[in-house]
Amino acid sequence: RAHPANPGRLKHQQLDSFIRDLHRLSQAERDRFSDVVRQDFHPACERFARDPSTPWPRGLRVKRVRGYASIWEMTWSFAGSDGRATFEWVDVDGELAVRWRRIGGHEIFDHP
């Protein structure tokens, strides 16, 4: 079902596991993640909220995590071990929102 476009900033939440993971990243990695979310991921989420059949930008490699129907992954960096983040869609005050679950490299898929 399509959700009304958010009139501004896409709402988001962060699990404690995401916050712990985030603190393990270097400042450069945190900056890169923030840039990708702001420039690419957020606009793609806005399009998804309006029409869930809209394709994701290929560069983000957004897809469902295998074995977890409600958890998605995105790639925010192709350097080193590849920066990945997992998220899920939630409803916050009647609006579609992103709940960040994990961030890091491939190790996050042990417990996405």
Side-chain angles (χ1 to χ4, degrees):
R1 148 181 163 245
H3 287 261
N6 294 346
R9 193 160 181 234
L10 180 73
K11 292 182 180 183
H12 72 277
Q13 299 174 336
Q14 299 171 339
L15 293 181
D16 290 341
S17 55
F18 178 86
I19 294 168
R20 282 190 304 272
D21 291 343
L22 191 64
H23 289 298
R24 290 185 192 111
L25 299 179
S26 69
Q27 185 62 51
E29 290 170 322
R30 289 192 298 270
D31 291 345
R32 175 71 182 138
F33 175 74
S34 179
D35 289 346
V36 168
V37 168
R38 186 177 51 256
Q39 295 169 9
D40 301 316
F41 185 74
H42 178 263
C45 287
E46 290 290 325
R47 291 188 296 273
F48 181 88
R50 287 190 300 272
D51 179 4
S53 68
T54 302
W56 290 93
R58 289 174 54 126
L60 293 176
R61 296 179 8 186
V62 174
K63 60 187 175 187
R64 291 182 193 271
V65 174
R66 190 174 307 154
Y68 297 88
S70 65
I71 302 176
W72 296 69
E73 68 174 280
M74 61 92 78
T75 301
W76 52 270
S77 174
F78 293 96
S81 63
D82 288 352
R84 306 294 177 101
T86 60
F87 66 95
E88 60 191 322
W89 293 105
V90 295
D91 185 273
V92 175
D93 300 327
E95 294 181 31
L96 192 61
V98 169
R99 178 182 295 144
W100 293 107
R101 299 179 56 86
R102 300 292 310 272
I103 187 169
H106 287 273
E107 74 280 355
I108 68 172
F109 296 117
D110 291 340
H111 301 283

